[in-house]
Amino acid sequence: MGLAYNIYLNCARIYACQQCKTHLANHDDILSRNFRGQHGKAYLFDNVVNVDEKESCERNMTTGKHIVRDIECKECKKVVGWKYDKAYEASEKYKEGKFILEAEILCSLN
Amino acid sequence: MRLDGTQKGSQSPSHSLHNGSNTSNGHSPTIGKVTNGHGPLRLPSNGTHRIINGLSPAKSYPPIWHDHNREEVSRLLIQALNELGYTNSAKSLSRESGYELETPNVSSFRNAVLEGRWDDAELLLFGENAYAGEPSEEWRLKTAGLRTRAASWTGKGLALVNEANSSEMLFWIRQQKYLELLEKRDLTNALVVLRQQLTPHSRNTQRLHALGGLLMCASVDDLKTQADWDGARGDSRHHLLSQLSRLISPKVMIPENRLSDLLHQVKNSWIVDCLYHNTNESPSLYSNHTCDRNDFPYQVVKDIAEHADEIWYIEFSHNGKFMATGGKDKMVIIYDVQDNFKVLHRFDEHGAGVCYLSWSPDDTKLITCARQPDNSLRVYELKDGHISTHIHHFDAPPTVAIWLPDGENFLVGSLDYHHAIEICNIYEDVMDQFAGTDSKARIYDLALSPDGKKVVAMSKNRLYVFDFASKKKLSEWQMDDVEMTSVHISRDSKHMLVSMNPNKIQLINIENGDVVRTYEGHKQEGFLIRSNFGGAAGTFVMSGSEDSQIYIWRTSGQLVEVLPGHGADSGCVNALAWHPTIPSYFASAGDDGRVKM
């Protein structure tokens, strides 16, 4: 749908898709490093760019039931993490609207 | 009054009516004495209404003609006739109407300047006060001399406009005198002029130093080039006269080409009001001008579906014979416009979607830019279709390439901040780089002004204006509340058209950054939609839109048409191109993979 170049971030440390180097998130937007994804360590980010969202589905996680949608890199279509749409438990509400990116598929750019 | 420019320093015809002897009354500001049966009407006039040769004008004319002041109209006509070269008609008009184009003082002044009689010129311009501070003996000599040459001089100067700076005018006259003395190699007198006459009257010491330096010039040609002055025999005296006449009250000395200026104003107001104005010709004066909607392209006449996916850029060649499109399917297709848009070439060497195309000035080469992951720029030779150049040192897409007039070098802008704005050539050398943007600027669009002097670079939030020759940054504007998507410079190189998300296009003055006009109504929020000037004389602004329609405005701001060319919901209309030689034709490129004409 239309021409749209990738968004470029301006920050000291930028996380990018390891495969295609598309910028994904700022280091300063990390909310928590205490997450685990399918491939190991994952970080919770406030805001990510250059990702496409797939369909939402209900998933059971270690912390409870959530509605999440996978996110993939706009460029190379690799799944890089997921976004929380809704959390059923009150203590998990803070995650709503935030993004998880798996550390393994990220690379760091300066 | 310039008489065709071929007779330099000649007498103005109204002056020749003088007969050298002023037996009749000198210029009198009121009409009281002249009998024309006007009675109590007193019109303020600075044209002379006099008895010529003892004969009064044959008829008595009412002073108001169709709500216009008769004197003004007559004098304008006399001036226009003179400028058109019909001097005899001008004389007889002057005789018949009884009005003169200029008072004898003004004519004397004009002749004094054109013949180089500077003292007379100064006296005539300023009256006797010009020599207020000078030794009275000289003064008396000069005024006596003037009276012999122009016996009707009363000692008063010419009326000046309010903002006229008389010492500046004096400075100009004396500067011309000085330069002419230098030309004659009369250095002693020149020095005298510089010291006694120029220095006390000028506040601009830099100019004085420059003039002083001219004394050192070895030859006359050197003097002329250094001072940017073309000599007493050249246009400089006329030029001085024009300069001075601008500061003399227009009633006394009608500005040059006045009637022509008035006609231009009328034509311009027609053009501004004409909604569909799509021609470059000057409107005829015989009837009020309006353009018909039928001359305007509002119907789809052709639909080309050669691309398999979204088309992102479209451009006609400069001669209008070819058209190139590039898009998401990584192909560049070139069509022959005259042969029913037959496909001439298909290029698919790029590894990613083609985001920009640029025809060389002679239309033999085409630059194509591709986005990630290809990030390269290719130059195709169109005779045989081979790639002559492949520039791939970019880590991010080159977004725009503009040919320079020499056909070999081109400006490239890219999202790679190490190579943000560069000049490359077809031999793959990087010729130059523009610095001055902040270190991480990523360029989305560039525009080169048609006069070749300025380059405008656009990153998402900032506009930079560079001087092209020196590569220096002239100005920078930040727009944090919008994201800019495209920029074009108008034909007169004074304004730039910037498309912005969300939903705005603005016409901005290049010099000072003022927003002249805003065009709205279309939709663009997330994608790169391009806008451009269109129409035969750049009188329209056209833009694609995310709602699949084409929007066209008049440059004065009114929305002229909204054309639903591409099917509803078929995505964005990404780019438009107006045919460079056929004014009633333009092409649009959309996400549906089609080009519509």
Side-chain angles (χ1 to χ4, degrees), chain B residues 12 32 89 159 189 203 321 329 337 360 432 486:
Chain B
S12 56
S89 308
N189 273 334
R203 265 153 273 159
K321 292 197 192 138
D329 57 355
V337 171
S360 66
D432 215 334
S486 85

Side-chain angles (χ1 to χ4, degrees), chain B residues 441-457:
Chain B
R442 298 177 194 266
I443 302 300
Y444 283 82
D445 206 353
L446 285 174
L448 180 61
S449 62
D451 61 3
K453 292 205 193 126
K454 299 212 173 81
V455 173
V456 175

Side-chain angles (χ1 to χ4, degrees), chain A residues 1-6 8-11 23 75 110, chain B residues 310 312 355 371-372 396-397 399 415 442 527-528 591:
Chain A
M1 179 61 186
L3 171 62
Y5 293 115
N6 290 344
Y8 290 88
L9 296 168
N10 272 356
C11 195
H23 292 198
E75 202 54 50
N110 283 10
Chain B
E310 301 174 8
W312 285 335
C355 55
R371 40 175 275 185
Q372 59 265 51
T399 48
L415 295 180
R442 298 177 194 266
F527 295 99
L528 198 145
D591 277 354

Side-chain angles (χ1 to χ4, degrees), chain B residues 165-295:
Chain B
N165 182 348
S166 47
S167 58
E168 197 178 3
M169 297 169 79
L170 209 55
F171 183 75
W172 288 338
I173 298 179
R174 288 174 178 179
Q175 180 181 257
Q176 178 76 2
K177 185 168 162 188
Y178 172 71
L179 288 168
E180 293 194 0
L181 284 172
L182 279 182
E183 194 190 15
K184 282 191 276 200
R185 312 310 295 162
D186 189 359
L187 296 173
T188 20
N189 273 334
L191 205 52
V192 165
V193 169
L194 181 62
R195 281 210 194 112
Q196 292 177 350
Q197 297 191 339
L198 280 171
T199 317
H201 281 276
S202 152
R203 265 153 273 159
N204 186 350
T205 45
Q206 215 181 9
R207 184 83 190 125
L208 275 179
H209 285 315
L211 289 175
L214 293 172
L215 270 172
M216 296 293 134
C217 288
S219 75
V220 174
D221 290 322
D222 198 19
L223 168 69
K224 286 185 185 173
T225 20
Q226 281 219 21
D228 201 18
W229 181 72
D230 66 348
R233 254 167 251 321
D235 282 332
S236 57
R237 285 185 184 173
H238 283 285
H239 199 63
L240 177 64
L241 189 60
S242 307
Q243 261 183 318
L244 292 169
S245 61
R246 253 174 261 149
L247 293 179
I248 297 179
S249 156
K251 266 206 264 186
V252 168
M253 193 165 179
I254 302 182
E256 286 183 14
N257 306 318
R258 185 71 189 146
L259 188 61
S260 163
D261 281 345
L262 289 172
L263 291 174
H264 274 304
Q265 285 182 18
V266 171
K267 282 189 188 175
N268 282 340
S269 76
W270 284 343
I271 291 179
V272 166
D273 285 335
C274 175
L275 202 55
Y276 291 106
H277 187 80
N278 197 7
T279 56
N280 221 352
E281 305 150 4
S282 202
S284 155
L285 289 167
Y286 291 132
S287 59
N288 286 353
H289 169 84
T290 44
C291 275
D292 198 6
R293 185 177 187 237
N294 290 328
D295 290 332

Side-chain angles (χ1 to χ4, degrees), chain B residues 72-112:
Chain B
E72 284 185 3
V73 177
S74 310
R75 287 176 75 209
L76 275 179
L77 285 172
I78 300 175
Q79 185 196 51
L81 284 172
N82 270 322
E83 285 174 1
L84 284 166
Y86 308 138
T87 45
N88 286 332
S89 308
K91 280 188 221 167
S92 56
L93 176 55
S94 198
R95 220 181 359 249
E96 226 183 305
S97 65
Y99 292 112
E100 248 190 29
L101 178 56
E102 296 177 321
T103 65
N105 259 9
V106 177
S107 324
S108 312
F109 172 67
R110 175 192 298 282
N111 291 329

Side-chain angles (χ1 to χ4, degrees), chain A residues 36 60-64 66:
Chain A
R36 300 207 68 79
N60 271 328
M61 308 197 151
T62 47
T63 43
H66 297 81

Side-chain angles (χ1 to χ4, degrees), chain B residues 397-409:
Chain B
T399 48
V400 56
I402 303 185
W403 284 96
L404 295 180
D406 60 7
E408 278 199 355
N409 296 320

